[in-house]
Amino acid sequence: MTISHNWLMDYLPVSFSVEKLVAILNSIGLEVEGVDAFEEIRGGLEGLIVGEVLEVLKHPNADKLSVTRVLTGAGTELQIVCGAPNVAAGQKVIVAPVGTTIFPLKGEPVTMKNAKIRGIESQGMICAEDEIGIGESHAGILVLPETVETGSPVKNYFKPYTDTIIHIGLTPNRSDAMSHLGIARDICAWLNHHENGSFSVRMPQAADLKSLTKQVSIDVSVENVADCPRFSGIGFSSFHQGASPAWMQNRLKAIGVRPISNIVDITNYVLHETGQPLHAYDAAKISLNKIIVKNLPEGTEFVSLDSKIRKLSSEDLMVCDGEGKGMCIGGVFGGLNSGVTADTNVIFLESAWFSPVTIRKSSFRHNLRTEAAQRFEKGVDIGNTVEVLKRAAWLLQTICGAEIASDLIDHYPQPRRKKEITVSYNYLKKISGKNYSPLAVKKILEGLQFTMLEENKDDLKIAVPLHKTDVSLPADIAEEVMRIDGFDNIEIPQTISIAPAVETAGFNAVCKEKTSSVLAASGFNEILNNSIANSAWYTDDELRSAVHMMNNLSAELNILRPSMLETGLETVAHNLNRKNNSLKLFEFGKTYKTISRGNYTETDHLLILLSGKMLEDSWRAKSGNADLFYLKGKVQALASHFGLGAVEYVEENNSGAIILKGSVGKTGLLTIGLVQKNLMQRFDIRQEVCFADILWNTFLELAQKVKPGFTEIPKFPAVNRDLAFVVDKGLAYEHIEKAARSLSLKKLKDIRLFDVFESEKLGTGKKSVAMNFIFQDEEKTLTDLEVEQFMQKIITIFEKELSAQIRR
């Protein structure tokens, strides 16, 4: 929401500085996000002065240049070299002295310096209108009237419009503050409460809607009363069309609205003044002089104001003519064939109230996020439609010379009753933590135009004004009182009441925190990616079950991600493109899938990504690249931290890359592997990337089953034995470890692989494997004989099941 300081001051009984206004707005819950200066002319003509040309001589070294002597006031004369053909003695001109910055209509600002032009010193510049941003002509210098005082600031002659623009971060429930008058109402309530005054909004001038000519008679029929409970309108004729006055153009431009013509500008001006959208129709194009508000059949074509052919939904509320042809998507966008043109002689001005839900759906359905739609979807004041027409009529009469050409139409079959709320002073104290006096509460609420219906020492019965669409509960009344009083003014209580709550997601949060700590301790960084992704990243199979966005805000972000890997790879590519080549990343997130029409699932994941070096190079050693084995080790360390035991892997048949499915016991837990080359090419990644995709909810279920326990640290020493043997080159390590574990040796505490060696000397298709076995007894020291017996059993099973050849 953007407001103009100058504009707002028109409606306030007192004027104050921008700084005080910002402080008040922040205090009443209208958070100020930014303050900008607006200048009708860039630079505001600062530093430019009126000069009088005393003498013009030909430049000795250039045929098209002149050397002038210019009086700039108080006896100061400047020598300025000028190239304009129309410069002459006796003229009053605009001078930019040395040190002044000028802001051309096109291009960057230029600061004047002493210069030599073809050998002649020049002490400034005599300006053309385009050189200072007040016009487009460059035919010659701008000559001012003789009556202008020499040496006076140029800005005093042109009086360029300046303003301060305030950007407010408006919350969706504050539709009542989507206008200058709405904000003025809040400020007056603040002034009444804090400065003990009796201030009220200075309402703008309005016209009497009595028709004298009755040139047009429009009949209105509303078939869909639920979506259009009130429709008001009136006709105007005898107006002249053209540009709106400068004051109106400047105010509209200041808040970012482009002036178009006086009639269009008036409707936009009233919208930002009152918050009520208006729409003007060419009355001659309203067939049969009848307006019908209804829904048209699904697929009906409608040519909108931007010349696009749109296919309507049967849910779109349409304003139609007597033949049932659509003239406007109600509250959203006008039609091409019913709008006001230069040939329009009579207009019909609509001021209606449309259902917020219907307007929002139509607005998103047709991707038309207009100012009118944004206000209707949040809710406008249904009781204000006729008053807004009176304001628009006054502006049309004053600016365009319009005459009222029809009777007022106000189709309002069931006038909206004001909501009534009873609130107790004790409740206000309980909610706010502050003991407000009844007088203060009444003063605040009356300042916001609430009506007091009944009052006693304990309770207050209130009628809610129709512009307060979000107020329906006693808690809303408490919010209004606290907001105007100021949240900073609520005292800190001496005691605090705490209601104990059951934390349902506590275990999840604890596990996430532990997991993050474990991974961060290993050098990983947590990332957070958008769950809305680009469908171009995914395969056709993935897209068939993907959740597609109906109203995506951009062409690229159009589905909810079916896999976390692609969004993670986007982060990897982003870092690699910025020379951050060693990456250890992890992310908690969700994936989404369509089960059937309207039925969707979401799954929690933990994604771990690895690329580049394991560690930074140092003076002691160079670091190797992180690989799949390194990542498997980190996953196992994470599982062990939660007591899950060993993660076992089965290779998945995949021609593109190595992909393994990991499980704990019989429960599938994760997918781990190398990213396929074709997927890496989509993101222009040229170095190997490893990933582990853990099903987080499954991880939580397994972790929750683990019963915490402890064992005493053994008092007796462990015994290490190494064993080297030759096996087939294709034999996976997991089969070797399984063979050793199958012996169920209780004293065997750990197995470690410390060397793999391949050579033709070992034989074709053979490799040498060296392993370390650790034995320990908690009750006594193991003897060499006992350890040798254990090792002999291991050797026997290796020779029998693995065809291993022991290296002696």
Side-chain angles (χ1 to χ4, degrees), residues 166-395:
I166 300 171
H167 304 277
I168 297 174
L170 206 60
T171 52
N173 64 316
R174 293 303 312 281
S175 60
D176 60 299
M178 292 188 74
S179 66
H180 285 77
L181 280 171
I183 291 173
R185 179 172 51 235
D186 271 14
I187 292 173
C188 285
W190 186 93
L191 291 171
N192 290 338
H193 177 65
H194 290 275
E195 300 190 359
N196 198 27
S198 183
F199 301 103
S200 59
V201 177
R202 294 167 55 187
M203 298 301 294
Q205 291 180 281
D208 186 0
L209 299 182
K210 288 184 179 179
S211 172
L212 299 177
T213 60
K214 294 189 179 180
Q215 290 180 246
V216 62
S217 177
I218 303 291
D219 181 37
V220 173
S221 171
V222 179
E223 294 184 5
N224 187 347
V225 179
D227 287 343
C228 180
R230 188 171 193 181
F231 188 98
S232 307
I234 195 167
F236 295 92
S237 64
S238 304
F239 49 81
H240 64 81
Q241 294 197 58
S244 53
W247 65 266
M248 179 174 281
Q249 290 195 43
N250 285 329
R251 286 191 171 181
L252 291 174
K253 285 190 285 188
I255 61 170
V257 178
R258 180 174 62 89
I260 298 173
S261 67
N262 50 11
I263 292 176
V264 175
D265 291 352
I266 286 171
T267 60
N268 285 330
Y269 187 87
V270 172
L271 168 68
H272 289 278
E273 181 181 61
T274 66
Q276 171 68 43
L278 301 174
H279 188 73
Y281 302 89
D282 186 332
K285 298 175 183 176
I286 302 176
S287 178
L288 304 180
N289 287 338
K290 185 172 183 179
I291 289 176
I292 306 172
V293 183
K294 63 179 184 176
N295 300 84
L296 293 177
E298 184 78 27
T300 302
E301 291 188 346
F302 171 70
V303 183
S304 54
L305 199 58
D306 54 4
S307 301
K308 291 184 178 179
I309 299 175
R310 302 179 185 274
K311 289 192 175 182
L312 300 175
S313 163
S314 59
E315 295 182 358
D316 293 328
L317 185 67
M318 299 297 295
V319 180
C320 305
D321 60 17
E323 297 178 353
K325 297 177 182 177
M327 298 189 295
C328 174
I329 303 176
V332 179
F333 207 51
L336 182 65
N337 301 319
S338 62
V340 177
T341 66
D343 299 324
T344 300
N345 296 315
V346 181
I347 64 171
F348 180 79
L349 193 62
E350 164 202 294
S351 176
W353 192 97
F354 298 112
S355 165
V357 173
T358 300
I359 297 302
R360 183 170 177 83
K361 286 182 177 180
S362 293
S363 173
F364 275 100
R365 186 180 295 119
H366 298 289
N367 196 24
L368 292 168
R369 302 297 295 143
T370 58
E371 290 277 0
Q374 291 180 47
R375 281 162 174 77
F376 278 126
E377 71 182 25
K378 290 179 173 63
V380 298
D381 184 355
I382 195 172
N384 205 35
T385 58
V386 172
E387 295 304 313
V388 170
L389 283 177
K390 292 178 181 180
R391 172 58 174 161
W394 187 88
L395 290 170

Side-chain angles (χ1 to χ4, degrees), residues 92 293 518 531 667 682:
K92 294 291 181 72
V293 183
V518 169
S531 58
T667 304
R682 292 183 211 169

Side-chain angles (χ1 to χ4, degrees), residues 744-757:
S744 300
L745 299 174
K746 294 182 179 180
K747 311 304 182 193
L748 179 60
K749 299 302 181 183
D750 199 5
I751 303 173
R752 296 172 186 167
L753 173 69
F754 66 86
D755 186 46
V756 177
F757 173 69

Side-chain angles (χ1 to χ4, degrees), residues 537-539 542 563 565-566 569 675-685 691:
W537 297 340
Y538 297 92
T539 64
E542 289 173 314
S563 161
L565 180 57
E566 285 74 9
L569 290 177
V675 178
Q676 298 179 20
K677 289 184 178 179
N678 61 348
L679 184 54
M680 288 173 46
Q681 288 170 358
R682 292 183 211 169
F683 294 91
D684 196 27
I685 297 173
F691 76 94

Side-chain angles (χ1 to χ4, degrees), residues 473-485:
L473 302 169
D476 298 326
I477 300 296
E479 179 189 355
E480 294 296 295
V481 173
M482 294 165 65
R483 189 171 59 80
I484 298 302
D485 179 56

